[in-house]
Amino acid sequence: MIKKQFIPFSELKSKQAIVVDSTHPNGLILSHWRGAPTPDAIRDDTSAAIVLNAIRTNLPGLELPYVTANHFDIDGFVGVWSLLNPELAMEHEELLRQMALIGDFRELDLNHPLAGEALKLVCWINARERELFYKPFAADEMEEKETVQCVKKFEYFLPRFKQILKDPDWERGAWEDEVGDVLLGYRTLYSPATKLTRHPKIGLIIVETPEPVHYYALFSRTVGFDIVLSIYDDNRFELEYKYTTWVDISSRPTLPRLPLGPLANKLNQLETSGHTWTADPVTETGPLLRLQGKDLSREMTYDNPTERKIYSSGISPEVLKETIVAYFKNGYQHITPKYNWTWKEVKALGQEV
């Protein structure tokens, strides 16, 4: 395979490139974004997995000399790095796939033999990203937006990743705190302190656990589900659509996102705490329904539940669960799960709710 070079997304105006975890008319698209023209033969759940499938099958178009992405995250980075280092990527293929699953869908499965190593690598990137640059979505509030600023992140991580991939303990001090937080939460999520209630027909899982935990721990119990209702002590609640319904996944059909605004209105009719239920638009990557949600920036919404204040509600957990389950059962009663929903379809169905 021809040796490739990473270029800023803006250079696609004059160059053709392989476009990872993004879309653009001037290149070969390897992305799980909804509606992206990714070749059917290599579709997968994460963009990194799509890239690895393309390398493994020597997909036509991989001879393009440039690679780019319009943002920096774990999934996109793994895909870009793999195209620049295809032989190493094939050598560590399963580890890289695990990194993308943990980083993008936050679905950590420590039963997988490589998940522990993948977690270290993901947390190393998280730590260095926070320390040297800015948190995900923080660029929304900056003069230079993500498409421009992410180039510096790629330029930092691309030449350094090979070393940490070979020896994650090389920078143990960077990742060990977050890995420790994840493992503590993981232990709680798999302990008798946590109760799970599954509603597979509507894609909802209810997680009742004493305190908020890291997303990688929380979503470790949610594989195969797309809506998570978290219930913590003192009547603290959050409901979230996972990123699995923002993209096109290939492993299973999904239901479309329903608007959360009408559900927030129902809960506000029951609420007695003085706080207000608010909901993000369904086009957000991980829309939240929560008390005082408008107080959060996109950066705070994306951050772990442990990093934001979750207010106590005046609604009992039982009434809250009944209200939420009834809303989704009613909304989905005439909808059948399928692959590759379009945003046009999602928005049209939302208007019918």
Side-chain angles (χ1 to χ4, degrees):
M1 187 185 297
I2 185 173
K3 188 166 180 62
K4 305 186 188 310
Q5 174 188 349
F6 174 79
I7 60 171
F9 197 75
S10 60
E11 293 188 20
L12 281 174
K13 295 174 183 176
S14 58
K15 296 175 181 175
Q16 276 206 323
I18 303 172
V19 181
V20 177
D21 205 30
S22 328
T23 61
H24 194 281
N26 203 23
L28 171 65
I29 308 303
L30 301 180
S31 173
H32 63 169
W33 280 21
R34 178 156 290 171
T38 298
D40 288 340
I42 58 167
R43 285 191 178 273
D44 215 309
D45 284 359
T46 66
S47 292
I50 290 169
V51 167
L52 293 165
N53 292 343
I55 295 171
R56 178 164 290 283
T57 60
N58 196 23
L59 182 77
L62 287 187
E63 66 275 5
L64 288 171
Y66 303 113
V67 183
T68 191
N70 70 355
H71 67 288
F72 182 92
D73 65 10
I74 303 291
D75 184 31
F77 169 75
V78 169
V80 169
W81 184 89
S82 296
L83 286 164
L84 300 179
N85 302 272
E87 292 183 2
L88 271 176
M90 288 294 93
E91 182 181 338
H92 298 279
E93 180 178 1
E94 190 55 37
L95 179 61
L96 297 173
R97 289 176 183 270
Q98 282 295 305
M99 284 186 65
L101 281 172
I102 296 168
D104 230 29
F105 296 160
R106 296 160 160 173
E107 294 176 350
L108 173 66
D109 178 10
L110 288 178
N111 288 317
H112 190 286
L114 295 177
E117 290 299 290
L119 178 63
K120 294 176 185 178
L121 296 170
V122 167
C123 290
W124 172 74
I125 293 175
N126 289 344
R128 289 290 179 243
E129 183 180 18
R130 289 191 300 265
E131 173 192 357
L132 300 174
F133 301 99
Y134 54 90
K135 290 182 177 182
F137 292 107
D140 288 355
E141 309 300 323
M142 300 178 184
E143 186 173 344
E144 286 190 328
K145 300 307 179 187
E146 174 68 11
T147 301
V148 175
Q149 292 221 66
C150 73
V151 174
K152 297 175 183 176
K153 292 184 181 181
F154 279 105
E155 290 175 344
Y156 176 83
F157 285 107
L158 285 171
R160 290 170 172 82
F161 183 65
K162 186 184 299 184
Q163 178 64 37
I164 192 73
L165 177 65
K166 291 180 178 179
D167 180 17
D169 287 335
W170 173 52
E171 287 206 342
R172 183 185 185 92
W175 53 254
E176 63 181 349
D177 284 349
E178 185 174 13
V179 168
D181 288 343
V182 173
L183 296 181
L184 282 173
Y186 196 93
R187 182 184 301 171
T188 300
L189 264 289
Y190 282 83
S191 77
T194 297
K195 175 187 174 184
L196 302 180
T197 307
R198 299 175 176 86
H199 296 273
K201 288 187 178 179
I202 56 175
L204 169 69
I205 185 167
I206 302 172
V207 181
E208 298 180 65
T209 198
E211 296 292 335
V213 296
H214 194 292
Y215 264 129
Y216 300 161
L218 178 63
F219 283 5
S220 72
R221 304 300 310 266
T222 71
V223 176
F225 291 85
D226 299 307
I227 314 169
V228 181
L229 172 59
S230 302
I231 297 181
Y232 308 113
D233 289 352
D234 300 321
N235 286 14
R236 291 171 295 160
F237 313 122
E238 284 190 331
L239 182 131
E240 180 170 359
Y241 266 115
K242 291 167 59 181
Y243 188 57
T244 47
T245 48
W246 194 87
V247 296
D248 288 332
I249 61 172
S250 66
S251 60
R252 58 181 173 84
T254 60
L255 289 163
R257 289 178 171 181
L258 298 180
L260 298 177
L263 179 54
N265 292 338
K266 289 178 181 290
L267 294 176
N268 279 323
Q269 293 172 10
L270 303 171
E271 189 57 61
T272 60
S273 69
H275 297 301
T276 302
W277 287 90
T278 59
D280 295 325
V282 293
T283 50
E284 283 293 327
T285 54
L288 275 175
L289 171 75
R290 72 192 300 274
L291 286 172
Q292 304 298 121
K294 297 302 182 187
D295 295 344
L296 298 183
S297 64
R298 291 183 77 202
E299 174 188 349
M300 295 164 66
T301 299
Y302 182 85
D303 211 342
N304 291 299
T306 52
E307 300 300 313
R308 54 182 178 253
K309 181 175 177 58
I310 302 176
Y311 298 90
S312 294
S313 170
I315 306 173
S316 72
E318 289 308 314
V319 170
L320 181 97
K321 287 187 284 187
E322 289 172 6
T323 304
I324 288 175
V325 169
Y327 177 78
F328 287 111
K329 281 186 174 180
N330 181 66
Y332 285 135
Q333 62 181 325
H334 301 302
I335 302 175
T336 302
K338 71 168 190 170
Y339 295 92
N340 304 336
W341 292 93
T342 66
W343 283 117
K344 183 178 180 180
E345 289 173 319
V346 172
K347 292 174 182 177
L349 287 169
Q351 292 175 352
E352 298 174 9
V353 174

